[in-house]
Amino acid sequence: MKITEVETFLVPPRWLFCRVATDEGLVGWGEPVVEGRAETVRAAVGELSDLLVGRDPRRIEDLWQLMTKAAFYRGGPVLSSAVAGIDQALWDILGRSLGVPVHQLLGGAVRERVRVYGWIGGDDPKQLAEEVAARVEAGLTAVKMNASGRISPMPTAGETAAVVQRLAAVREVLGADRDVAVDFHGRFTTAAARRLIPLLAPLHPLFVEEPVLPEYAHRLADVVAASPVPVACGERLFSRTDFLPVLAAGVAVVQPDLSHAGGISEVRRIAALAEAHDAMLAPHCPLGPLALAASLQVAFATPNFLIQEQSIGIHYNADAELLDYVLDPAPFAFPDGYIRLSEAPGLGVQIDEAAVRRADAAGHRWRPPVWRHPDGSFAEW
């Protein structure tokens, strides 16, 4: 079997899909994207295709090594995301060629269902009680919210109290038997995170996510030491070597993104590294159906898996939804907050290729918002 073509598709609201075709008629799909840099990743996929066409798609590890190392300059979010989407597609082809799901190729399932959570409140949290009630009605047993919108480098007493009050409102609706995670989104300084997290502890968040920016990973140990709440991070880390220092700092949950961190191949290794540090895996996935499908395959086969993010109803999905590009939405159903194990081959999802090609004809130019503090200086989004 040989790879004959690698295509990419700009798919609203902010995604990039890739399609890897073979000379035996088998096709694999993946989702290589950096949100806000989809066109750049598209160019990177095109460059990597030079290494792929004419090669056997089933030699996944060899192709992964080529894509990540057959150049003098390596790494970074654009290249690792391009590799990630192609890697997903190669696993999809291998599974389909053998008639088995990818989780079977990873050693088989260790669980029958995967717990998922959904977003509430948007970038600047509002209407939280109503939104969490709707998510509970849809069947979810866990949600995630941003701690705040734009926040001062040293938050005032009022800003701090507002974060606590928002979480308290969500906890009141959820009750004691459901979970809420709180995303700091890298908006807080180390000092601000150390002050705030202990105030959230009585409300028992599942974890606090990305309390400081990834470039300050050397300060994570200080945050962990001050935190009675489990600390999570990793959506902006792209390799097992990136995760090693944050695991050494004592984070409880790692959150690699299957569309950023080298795909199924590398996230599987990151999960094993986390297990050696007594940390759990909760893959980041505010993206489309292929990223979620790949995440689920890893989740089903990973002993130290905790919970899976999914983007149905997320505030970014203004122009399209995750289910708009699949022929059968059943594999993504979560009536009781869990997605059930599927034995469908490959990634277990059937892409509506006609819908994807129509979407690509329109394309998108999604960009993240740019925030500023009241004094006019740049603020973290």
Side-chain angles (χ1 to χ4, degrees):
M1 189 189 304
K2 304 295 182 186
I3 296 171
T4 56
E5 186 179 30
V6 180
E7 296 179 272
T8 52
F9 307 90
L10 279 171
V11 179
R14 57 180 192 153
W15 307 328
L16 182 72
F17 293 175
C18 73
R19 178 183 183 272
V20 178
T22 70
D23 61 353
E24 294 188 10
L26 282 172
V27 169
W29 288 85
E31 194 167 335
V33 69
V34 174
E35 300 93 305
R37 296 288 183 268
E39 300 97 325
T40 314
V41 179
R42 184 177 220 176
V45 171
E47 292 172 352
L48 289 173
S49 68
D50 293 344
L51 297 170
L52 301 174
V53 172
R55 296 184 182 271
D56 187 340
R58 297 166 296 185
R59 296 186 62 177
I60 298 173
E61 186 59 33
D62 183 55
L63 294 178
W64 194 92
Q65 296 291 326
L66 279 175
M67 290 189 290
T68 57
K69 297 178 179 178
F72 186 73
Y73 298 100
R74 304 175 180 177
V78 170
L79 178 59
S80 63
S81 297
V83 171
I86 294 169
D87 181 82
Q88 293 169 18
L90 298 179
W91 281 102
D92 194 26
I93 290 171
L94 179 58
R96 291 179 188 280
S97 73
L98 298 172
V100 299
V102 168
H103 63 73
Q104 191 78 11
L105 304 173
L106 299 176
V110 297
R111 57 182 49 83
E112 298 300 318
R113 55 185 191 160
V114 162
R115 192 184 186 202
V116 298
Y117 68 82
W119 269 90
I120 57 169
D123 280 332
D124 191 2
K126 293 182 176 69
Q127 299 177 323
L128 291 168
E130 296 89 342
E131 288 198 29
V132 72
R135 296 295 188 271
V136 170
E137 180 67 23
L140 290 175
T141 63
V143 296
K144 188 166 76 176
M145 57 181 281
N146 278 309
S148 70
R150 184 187 63 192
I151 194 78
S152 302
M154 288 296 178
T156 65
E159 287 177 307
T160 300
V163 175
V164 177
Q165 289 162 6
R166 282 192 288 268
L167 180 57
V170 171
R171 172 56 69 198
E172 183 176 0
V173 177
L174 285 175
D177 296 324
R178 299 184 183 92
D179 283 310
V180 54
V182 182
D183 191 353
F184 281 37
H185 218 253
R187 296 170 184 169
F188 290 73
T189 62
T190 302
R194 283 167 56 90
R195 170 182 277 174
L196 176 59
I197 294 172
L199 302 178
L200 303 180
L203 296 164
H204 205 86
L206 181 64
F207 54 74
V208 292
E209 177 176 333
E210 207 173 34
V212 296
L213 289 166
E215 52 261 44
Y216 302 133
H218 57 287
R219 297 301 311 276
L220 261 178
D222 299 324
V223 176
V224 171
S227 175
V229 178
V231 173
C233 73
E235 70 186 71
R236 290 189 271 185
L237 303 176
F238 312 114
S239 69
R240 73 205 98 139
T241 52
D242 287 347
F243 276 91
L244 187 57
V246 302
L247 284 163
V251 299
V253 181
V254 295
Q255 300 173 295
D257 190 306
L258 271 289
S259 282
H260 300 330
I264 291 169
S265 296
E266 185 71 351
V267 171
R268 181 74 167 154
R269 293 186 277 259
I270 292 167
L273 181 64
E275 187 177 15
H277 287 79
D278 195 24
M280 304 291 285
L281 177 74
H284 178 256
C285 189
L287 295 169
L290 291 157
L292 179 56
S295 299
L296 291 170
Q297 296 298 325
V298 171
F300 280 118
T302 299
N304 56 319
F305 167 80
L306 176 64
I307 196 167
Q308 178 62 57
E309 181 175 22
Q310 55 82 35
S311 71
I312 294 174
I314 200 170
H315 47 289
Y316 302 122
N317 294 357
D319 301 319
E321 265 289 356
L322 181 146
L323 300 178
D324 291 350
Y325 301 108
V326 299
L327 293 172
D328 180 10
F332 297 124
F334 50 84
D336 55 357
Y338 290 83
I339 292 177
R340 294 296 190 276
L341 181 69
S342 169
E343 295 299 331
L347 294 182
V349 59
Q350 293 291 336
I351 290 296
D352 185 342
E353 185 172 332
V356 169
R357 291 186 181 277
R358 287 194 301 270
D360 180 62
H364 68 82
R365 288 184 61 84
W366 187 88
R367 299 292 185 267
V370 176
W371 286 357
R372 293 191 178 274
H373 291 299
D375 65 1
S377 62
F378 177 80
E380 291 290 340
W381 163 65

